[in-house]
């Protein structure tokens, strides 16, 4: 396979990112790839925040993966800064290629660069394959993740 | 009891916040209330980020609770902005007073004010009382929370 590049997402990457968000058992119910307007608005809000790092993985000029990393300074754990991973997606044709691992490794390196002492994420309880994936990468399933829709 | 005020944390609140972070079965092992230097550094980093909202609950001039809310714009769920709650603490003498509920209600109101469509948090798997508390407030334990110490 040709070389992979992980770089900040651009406005023109939105259709490819949304297509990946929607090509997923859970995402299929909650995304609207036919109306990109809310995604464009969200992208502009996101890029104004220096603690948000939305990236895409590109192979042979094609967007094949995405991930969002948020840097969160805080007081707990002796003033630790932590990072939060959201929205990890790998294109269907790239699954099993090691791209997910490359994306998480990028997130770990970037978190270290921002002096984070902890990296965290939540994964829907039904995504048992994803849970094994994160445990293989050294993550510990130590927490319960709660959500409230507003 | 006298009136409760929830307001942004100030530098002078750090000793009281750290005392609450440390007065906890898990926090006791990972905080250093005798050396506040790292907390001061973290506080300055935190207050520079407009998406961080570290608050204290004050009753009769005394800090009795704290919570950190982070606003996270993102593309998934049709460009939803979500908020993340971290570091919820209630002073030992205030437990059972409804203060925890007041803090979470503040976080919900503040999240709505920032146009968040989702509010989320993780809680250590051992904190079963906290899990019941969040479920009573309408949160769903739908996710597994993973952490990796860097």
């Amino acid at each position: 396979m040709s070389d992979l590049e992980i770089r900040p997402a651009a406005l023109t990457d939105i259709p490819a990112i949304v297509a990946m968000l929607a090509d997923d058992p859970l995402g299929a119910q909650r995304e609207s790839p036919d109306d990109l307007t809310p995604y464009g608005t969200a992208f502009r809000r996101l890029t104004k925040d220096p603690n948000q790092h939305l990236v895409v993985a590109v192979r042979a000029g094609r967007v094949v993966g995405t991930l969002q990393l948020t840097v969160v300074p805080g007081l707990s754990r002796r003033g630790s800064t932590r990072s939060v991973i959201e929205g990890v997606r790998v294109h269907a044709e790239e699954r099993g290629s090691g791209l997910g691992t490359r994306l998480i490794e990028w997130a770990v390196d970037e978190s270290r660069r921002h002096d984070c002492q902890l990296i965290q994420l939540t994964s829907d309880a039904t995504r048992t394959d994803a849970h094994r994936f994160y445990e293989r990468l050294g993550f510990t399933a130590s927490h319960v993740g709660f959500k409230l829709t507003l």
Side-chain angles (χ1 to χ4, degrees), chain A residues 20-70:
Chain A
M20 288 188 292
L21 291 172
D23 182 23
D24 173 89
L26 298 172
Q29 305 152 36
R30 54 194 191 203
E31 304 299 342
S32 64
D34 296 336
D35 176 15
L36 295 177
T37 316
Y39 299 97
T41 306
F43 183 82
R44 280 184 289 273
R45 184 169 181 178
L46 199 149
T47 48
K48 268 191 263 177
D49 180 347
N51 282 330
Q52 303 298 338
H53 306 275
L54 177 70
V55 293
V56 287
V58 180
R59 199 190 305 273
R62 186 165 167 241
V63 171
V64 290
T66 182
L67 172 155
Q68 180 179 347
L69 188 75
T70 303

Side-chain angles (χ1 to χ4, degrees), chain A residues 116-136:
Chain A
C116 298
Q117 284 89 44
L118 185 71
I119 181 163
Q120 66 188 50
L121 61 93
T122 67
S123 178
D124 192 281
T126 63
R127 297 193 196 271
T128 50
D129 286 355
H131 302 171
R132 280 190 293 269
F133 167 74
Y134 291 118
E135 285 179 330
R136 274 200 305 275

Side-chain angles (χ1 to χ4, degrees), chain A residues 84 86 120-126 131 140-149:
Chain A
V84 181
E86 285 286 349
Q120 66 188 50
L121 61 93
T122 67
S123 178
D124 192 281
T126 63
H131 302 171
T140 306
S142 53
H143 284 62
V144 180
F146 291 86
K147 303 217 188 237
L148 175 68
T149 305

